[in-house]
Amino acid sequence: MSQLYYYARRTVVSVLLIFAIATFLFFAFRFMPGDYATLLLQQGASPEQVAKVRQMWGLDQPLYVQYFKWLGNMLQGNAGMSRQFNKPVLEVVLPALRNSLIVALPGVLVAFVLGSLYGALMGSRPNSFLERYGIIPPNVVGTTPDFFIGILLLTVFSAWLGWFPSGSIATIDTLTSTSGWGLYLTTDFWYHYTLPFLTVVIKYMYYPTLVMRGSVVEVRNQEFATYQRLLGLGKWRRFRHIMKHASLPVVTVLPAVTATSISGLVLIEIVFNWPGIGQLLLTSVFARDTPVIQFMFLLIAAWIVIGNFIVDIAYTIIDPRITIEGE
Amino acid sequence: MEPLLEIDDLDITYRTSSGDLQAVTDASVSIDANEYYGLVGESGCGKSTLAGAVTNSLDQNGDITGGTVTYRGEEIQDYSEKEYNEKIRWKEIAVIPQSAMNSLNPLSRISEQAIEVAEAHTDWSDETAVEKLEELFGVVGLPASRVHDYPHQFSGGMKQRAIIAFSLLLDPSMIIADEPTTALDVIMQDQFLKHLDELREIRDFSLLFITHDIAVVFEMCDSMAVMHGGQVAERGDTTALFDDPHHPYTLLLQRAFPDIRYPNRKLEGIDGTPPALESEVDYCTFADRCPWAEPECRERAPPTEAVPGDAEHASACVRSDEVAELAARDLDDIDDGDGEPVGADADADRGSDESILELRGLNKHFSQSTNVIDTIRASIFGGEQDAVRAVDGVDLDLKENQIQGVIGESGCGKSTLLQTVMGKYEPTDGEIVFDGTPVSEFDKSDWKEYRRRVQIILQDPFNTLNPHFSVRETLMEPLRIHDMERSEERVLDVLEQVRLTPAEEYIDRNESQLSGGEKQRVSIARALILEPDVILADEPVSMLDVSTQASVLDMLNELTDEYGVSMLYISHDLSTVSYVCDRVNVMYLGRLVESAATMDLLDDPKHPYTRSLLQAIPVPDPHHEREWAELPGTPGDASDLGTGCRFRDRCPDRMDVCDQMPRQADVGDGHRAACHLHYEHGSGGETAPTAATDGGER
């Protein structure tokens, strides 16, 4: 009962939150100076032309009318028209999003798994050489800008060694011969995929490493861990108990990090000339393509909310105390 | 008969970066089968290290450098971890750890954790392990159906019992309990001891009970050893050590320990602290604290010799035969009630008629909801359904030059009460009146003055001083904050007041150069230097060793007598409270259930809860047969209290009328109790106070 109540409450809160963010984004963009029509004006359009454009896009109507129209459209899965491409926003954003997520999500997940293991290894060997100095590489990498890591990888593996291509998502031949998801099935794509993927893994490994190291050190000193040592439980068994506890803070930050990784992608995608949402976001900002920007912001915000929702549910599975406190 | 466990001339050394430190020196202890054995000593005396040698759990830098540990005739001190795990651990020797509350992994079911233990040491199937746990749950008085619960679903007392069940899981012949009751308040300690005591009837095992609390050992154990500075000072039959101590430390430790039966007895602290650890110990570590030390004591470690006529009783003191004589010559008779009154009686006349701090119907409720939806719901459907009523209608009148105690179990709201008076929390309702002025009318400068005139002493002396400050800086700081004259003389004066003498020697010390007792004295000095009218003390001695406790308590008493300070003293320990306080208030789930002059309260407790609290205190006398307090359960949830008496679910005297909240009634001589037992119940079902004027009188 309490479990169901907890899930239901979290669902309602998440939906309300996404709605609130969408509303906020709508008004925030409307109140920002300089809409698309103004941009046209700067390019020498006549006031009549501007007025026509405004009328065409409904920008001359009262704000609340615009809001409810927009809300109605969004609920029907219509995010509007991209002004720079003159295509529906969804058609513009979804392929770019796909290209980005295929790098970001597996990249961050692999980074978290490897980073957590490495951090746990350091944490469980207190005062060892590894614990003292093993922290230096992740610290160095973590404070290096991600585009720099990308450039470094390109220099070494592409320019010097020539093992991997220097950018783009695939060769022109592949791109023209495939469509939609088919692209991801070609070896050419994976060939291009390796370096951007590695960049993400390297960049995002440091965070779980640091958190996990501290977390394991702390959990190892908890009374239950001492007691399990006195109980004579095996090393591996005790390590599993500790890992389960220590992973809680790492799980907590996972959705937030995946979301921020999308913003980090802007630079990585430029370095690798990767047609993802990072690039799209950049060109859209320059073009003041509000519907696209607004929709992408909403997607990122929604991902944080949904990610947190997933984490909350995961918590109830890892930690049985959660629902009781939620009562 | 061959002893089950024999520790013989054991030396344990810690290897540290600053050299070797010998933590245990020539320790010999022997424990028979089915014997309850107590190991007593102050913090740092080596008792836990000694146990670590038996359980193969010394820290990595700890080495056994001499002597033997023999279990069932086999030497086990050199066992590797693997060998120990295979032969001894849990099957032969099991452990009850210090903090049973947190010793089970909260993320796994209790049954799963038992299965893991069985898996590590036996070839039992999972079912066998669970069945065994169910059986043991029955033994320790837990419902067998709850073996599959998670630890957090158990109350503190239930977790204690589950840990006892765990220690019995593989039928060990010996259980080592390392300070198992230290973190418990007196009621839970009573329940724990009762269970251990009852287990003797149904199970065969020896118990090594390690504690700093000599009263618990006198109650529970057949034999005991007293440790000081890594050496076993004296060992033998519990009654023999009580009746006829042959080591000055055993004797003085007894005299330092409060005994609730004799609240007027003067407690005597032991001067000094145990010496710092050194690489080699070839002298008596008690010599520097001993009133009867001779040059010889510092030249060589005294041999442990049996007391004539009792082969089990041995003492490591060169003057062991003279101890009784010396004590008779130099120390006052311990049970002497004549002469100048000390302890509780001495405080009876203290306190003027002027109130300095008055609490009128004080309430502090905490809202539990932390999220938006709950807050909205609460604001629509009426405010405080969920609130934790930590302090709920407390009336208290602290007179000038008086020490009043507030006592109760952990979670009863006593610390919240203190913090509300401090001004950390704003009262939800009610009024704090300080020196005639309600605190609610204070402006900013009044508050600053209040913060000078009302000072606090906190529980933990180890964390309340800034480690980067010298004593001088610590004591100058409050003067600077309150724009008072910053003179060295003032600092030296106040150090003398708290008996840190010679003061010149202490003034430049750092926090790290002070012992626990000295730190607490510095924090008392920090409070005193502003010449306050009221001191709020939150368990000021609970973290100190008993030998230091007595002298700090004496000092608090003297400060009140000499400087006219008033004090509100919060504690869960009725024996220290009764020693310093003129008047004691008993708190239960946010309300004061009884309030009386200390001796009245001890002689004639009115509220069933007070009676249980008194009953639960261990008596440091092996001849005394204390009855268990038998207070079932734990205090309820302070957010779900209903309307009746808060104690009714645990009360042995529960009546129908207890579904109504009892008012505080005067039962004579300013002795007040909030219990229906002390009203006369009329035929109309109305409750009317008998001896009282009115329960709500202020």
Side-chain angles (χ1 to χ4, degrees), chain B residues 506-523:
Chain B
Y506 281 94
I507 192 164
D508 285 315
R509 286 208 195 168
N510 259 325
E511 188 250 12
S512 57
Q513 293 164 301
L514 300 167
S515 71
E518 287 168 345
K519 280 177 198 173
Q520 198 59 309
R521 281 162 198 267
V522 171
S523 52

Side-chain angles (χ1 to χ4, degrees), chain A residues 245-262:
Chain A
H245 264 264
S247 63
L248 286 174
V250 178
V251 172
T252 315
V253 296
L254 184 57
V257 171
T258 50
T260 46
S261 75
I262 293 175

